[in-house]
Amino acid sequence: MKNTILVVGFVLFINSVSAQLNHKSQLTCADVEEITITVGEDQTLCAATETIISVESTVPGKWQTTKEGVIIETPESKTTRVSNIPYRSNTALKWVPTLTDCQEMGVSKDVMQIFAYENTPIINEITVEETECNETKLISNVDLNGAARVYYSWSTEDGKITSNRYGKELTVSEAGTYLLRVSTASAVIYDKCVVEKSFELTKMKSEIDIVIDTPLMLTCSRKTVTIDGSKSSVGSNFSYEWTTEDGEIVTEPNLTSIDVVKPGTYTLTISNSETACSLAKNITVEEHIVAAPKGYNYPYVDGLKRLKDLTIDGTQLKWYGDSEKNRSISDETVIELGGVYYATQTIDGCESVMALKVMGSEKIFVEDFGTGYDSFNISPATTTYEGLDNPSHCPPEKPQDGRYVVTSNSGLPIEGSKCTTREQGDLFFEGWYQNVKDHSFDDVNGRFLIINGDDQPREFYRRTISGLVEGEDYVFSTWIANILNPVTGCYPAIPVNVKMEIHDGSTEIASISTGDIGAETNIEDIWKEYVLNFKAISSDIVIVLKNNAP
């Protein structure tokens, strides 16, 4: 009886212990499916390099791989470093739970495949071979390290390369720091397996350094400037020679520094008698020339208009009655029909060499396209181009090829427009200058015509003008701009090219082409005037403007 009770008690005790173990662990092989694996930045490596892998798991385990030679730094750590990946191999890594039931069942969690494209080449050293006085060869010693093929690329920011930069050797002509980049075939596609090494070349064989300070500009008040080369190599073994083809040297040329009186390119050549080598360097002297003022070349004689009444963009204007600027006149001078006048400006005490030519004219016709925000009304003129469907829409509709718009600004909002703001994506085209205004100096919100030319030459403006006198000479003047921004636009593009024609009925009596008008890097320089002279053969003419681009 006692034995029976003892057996029962034993059984109950064992069952109780078993229940406690199940409650504490709750981990079985089924939990493997919930394991999350993370890897380093890239699973695609160069051979023998390393990556970091980690696991998020409630199940204890260890990392394993079937590839020989692969180094797993801490196999039983949830985060470990893996290195020495074999060349051109798919290296399988997996997390193997160490629970007893998992091991009995042979369960594991496959993690990833790491592929090593190439062995990384090794740049052992870069050596110097002096070939000529002013040329030095840099020679690289590269261990391919099993890579099938490698590519070389040299670069520099302060030196000067004189040979092909894509080879094991490089020829340079100036001291500086040179960078060698060696990559495998895989690097061309995947930008992997790349090694770099820099080399500082401190001096050329000639042992000559030429340092020339940037000279001041020649101006109307600074007639002579000094070109200072005194920081160059000096010593009894060095000699100096200054030469020029377009400038003028006014001091002894066999010095480290010279004085010059004309703009141009000057060359300093230094010779080293000990090495029988010479080195030359050029420096440019510039002259600041004040530009002519800007304004209307053909102002209209409306009553008693004086020169001072004209809108001229310039500083300290001075007027002359002749092109040679021998006869100065007052700005109180009344503009006469057919009279010719010349204006200069003075900046920092220097008067412009060129002058603005102004000729009094009688206004027969003017096209200013009115004022205000976007429109497509050019009446009474006509065009073969299509206007915008809704030019006042905000944001503005973009004029595609073969369409036009009349506007007072090429992109930004204007005063009075319901478009108070325009986001970058709402501009006409990001490749255009976005704040072009009409050329008129005194026209608030004045419009101008924007033509987005298509790929075929055709007419974009036609207007009949009446009231001319038969046999009289006339001038047709127009301002044209290429509003393409070469920095943000598609460039190079088809340049602007316009043909200006004067017709008498169906007969063309005069014409001129602008030639190619390229894109300007400065928005202030885009407007250009083109003039067509003609003699009227009747009282009516037709002005025709055509897109002349191919």
Side-chain angles (χ1 to χ4, degrees):
M1 185 67 176
K2 291 181 180 179
N3 289 339
T4 303
I5 293 173
L6 288 173
V7 171
V8 172
F10 181 76
V11 171
L12 290 174
F13 176 76
I14 294 299
N15 286 342
S16 175
V17 172
S18 176
Q20 289 179 11
L21 287 175
N22 288 338
H23 175 72
K24 286 184 178 180
S25 174
Q26 297 183 2
L27 299 178
T28 68
C29 201
D31 294 313
V32 175
E33 296 303 322
E34 300 178 6
I35 294 175
T36 301
I37 304 299
T38 58
V39 298
E41 293 183 358
D42 206 332
Q43 293 177 242
T44 304
L45 305 173
C46 293
T49 56
E50 61 184 29
T51 189
I52 296 176
I53 58 175
S54 61
V55 62
E56 295 179 6
S57 173
T58 57
V59 179
K62 61 181 179 180
W63 298 100
Q64 289 185 359
T65 179
T66 57
K67 290 291 182 181
E68 294 183 2
V70 175
I71 299 174
I72 301 176
E73 193 171 280
T74 51
E76 296 183 358
S77 173
K78 290 185 178 180
T79 299
T80 186
R81 190 182 305 273
V82 180
S83 60
N84 204 36
I85 310 299
Y87 169 55
R88 287 190 176 273
S89 68
N90 280 308
T91 299
L93 296 172
K94 59 184 177 180
W95 176 256
V96 181
T98 54
L99 293 178
T100 303
D101 58 340
C102 291
Q103 292 179 346
E104 292 175 352
M105 297 171 61
V107 174
S108 65
K109 177 71 173 183
D110 288 336
V111 178
M112 55 184 288
Q113 297 281 338
I114 299 180
F115 184 75
Y117 277 99
E118 302 275 3
N119 278 338
T120 304
I122 301 171
I123 303 176
N124 293 321
E125 62 177 347
I126 298 175
T127 57
V128 173
E129 177 184 306
E130 296 177 335
T131 54
E132 298 180 10
C133 285
N134 300 321
E135 284 191 344
T136 295
K137 184 178 291 185
L138 305 183
I139 303 174
S140 64
N141 182 343
V142 177
D143 182 356
L144 300 187
N145 197 24
R149 184 177 182 182
V150 295
Y151 298 88
Y152 301 85
S153 176
W154 297 82
S155 62
T156 182
E157 292 185 358
D158 55 355
K160 186 175 182 180
I161 297 173
T162 57
S163 67
N164 187 334
R165 64 180 65 230
Y166 303 106
K168 293 180 62 175
E169 301 177 353
L170 182 74
T171 302
V172 303
S173 60
E174 290 184 7
T177 301
Y178 295 86
L179 179 68
L180 171 61
R181 187 176 192 264
V182 182
S183 57
T184 67
S186 300
V188 177
I189 303 175
Y190 304 104
D191 195 27
K192 301 179 186 301
C193 311
V194 179
V195 64
E196 295 179 343
K197 190 179 185 68
S198 63
F199 181 84
E200 183 179 2
L201 180 65
T202 58
K203 188 167 288 188
M204 303 292 291
K205 177 184 177 182
S206 60
E207 295 187 348
I208 298 173
D209 292 324
I210 298 183
V211 180
I212 304 176
D213 292 339
T214 302
L216 298 172
M217 278 190 177
L218 291 164
T219 67
C220 66
S221 58
R222 189 186 298 119
K223 302 294 185 180
T224 303
V225 297
T226 298
I227 306 178
D228 186 2
S230 61
K231 296 179 180 140
S232 304
S233 298
V234 294
S236 59
N237 56 311
F238 295 105
S239 60
Y240 314 92
E241 181 182 17
W242 288 92
T243 57
T244 181
E245 293 184 358
D246 52 357
E248 183 177 343
I249 301 171
V250 295
T251 54
E252 173 60 42
N254 192 25
L255 300 171
T256 56
S257 301
I258 57 170
D259 293 334
V260 301
V261 295
K262 289 179 62 177
T265 300
Y266 296 84
T267 303
L268 171 59
T269 302
I270 301 180
S271 300
N272 187 342
S273 59
E274 293 181 354
T275 61
C277 291
S278 297
L279 187 65
K281 188 171 184 177
N282 296 332
I283 191 71
T284 299
V285 174
E286 298 179 347
E287 182 178 15
H288 176 61
I289 300 176
V290 178
K294 297 179 180 180
Y296 289 119
N297 294 90
Y298 301 96
Y300 310 122
V301 181
D302 297 327
L304 298 177
K305 178 172 285 189
R306 299 163 299 177
L307 291 174
K308 66 183 301 181
D309 297 327
L310 298 177
T311 302
I312 304 294
D313 184 8
T315 303
Q316 298 183 33
L317 298 178
K318 188 179 293 185
W319 289 95
Y320 297 91
D322 64 309
S323 60
E324 300 298 323
K325 298 181 292 185
N326 294 321
R327 182 168 57 90
S328 61
I329 58 177
S330 170
D331 60 1
E332 296 285 349
T333 301
V334 176
I335 302 173
E336 298 179 355
L337 180 63
V340 181
Y341 314 92
Y342 300 86
T344 64
Q345 66 171 330
T346 299
I347 300 176
D348 296 332
C350 296
E351 185 178 2
S352 60
V353 177
M354 303 299 293
L356 170 69
K357 180 181 178 181
V358 174
M359 184 173 68
S361 62
E362 182 180 4
K363 179 169 64 176
I364 302 297
F365 152 76
V366 60
E367 176 69 272
D368 60 10
F369 300 105
T371 60
Y373 43 84
D374 303 343
S375 174
F376 60 85
N377 181 17
I378 64 170
S379 179
T382 61
T383 180
T384 62
Y385 281 66
E386 296 182 32
L388 301 184
D389 295 330
N390 189 359
S392 298
H393 183 264
C394 188
E397 182 184 353
K398 304 180 192 304
Q400 304 295 330
D401 292 354
R403 308 199 80 172
Y404 75 93
V405 66
V406 180
T407 185
S408 57
N409 196 302
S410 64
L412 300 180
I414 65 170
E415 184 178 352
S417 169
K418 63 181 180 179
C419 277
T420 56
T421 61
R422 288 185 179 175
E423 300 297 332
Q424 185 67 22
D426 295 337
L427 303 176
F428 281 146
F429 284 109
E430 294 182 12
W432 292 358
Y433 278 114
Q434 298 300 328
N435 195 24
V436 177
K437 299 179 181 179
D438 79 332
H439 182 265
S440 305
F441 290 94
D442 52 359
D443 195 2
V444 178
N445 285 341
R447 293 177 181 151
F448 58 98
L449 174 65
I450 293 182
I451 294 289
N452 192 353
D454 52 22
D455 56 0
Q456 295 297 324
R458 62 182 171 119
E459 179 183 306
F460 66 83
Y461 180 90
R462 173 182 289 263
R463 181 166 176 177
T464 300
I465 308 299
S466 301
L468 283 70
V469 178
E470 182 179 346
E472 289 289 332
D473 293 319
Y474 292 89
V475 175
F476 172 62
S477 169
T478 185
W479 289 83
I480 301 174
N482 183 344
I483 65 173
L484 177 70
N485 186 332
V487 177
T488 61
C490 51
Y491 191 79
I494 297 176
V496 173
N497 192 310
V498 175
K499 184 179 182 184
M500 304 156 54
E501 299 176 352
I502 304 296
H503 292 210
D504 184 281
S506 60
T507 303
E508 179 185 306
I509 61 174
S511 67
I512 190 174
S513 293
T514 63
D516 290 346
I517 306 174
E520 294 285 352
T521 56
N522 187 347
I523 191 173
E524 301 296 331
D525 300 329
I526 64 174
W527 284 109
K528 295 177 174 61
E529 185 185 28
Y530 298 90
V531 176
L532 175 59
N533 298 285
F534 67 96
K535 185 185 294 291
I537 60 176
S538 68
S539 61
D540 297 334
I541 63 165
V542 179
I543 297 174
V544 178
L545 300 179
K546 295 179 178 179
N547 166 27
N548 203 36

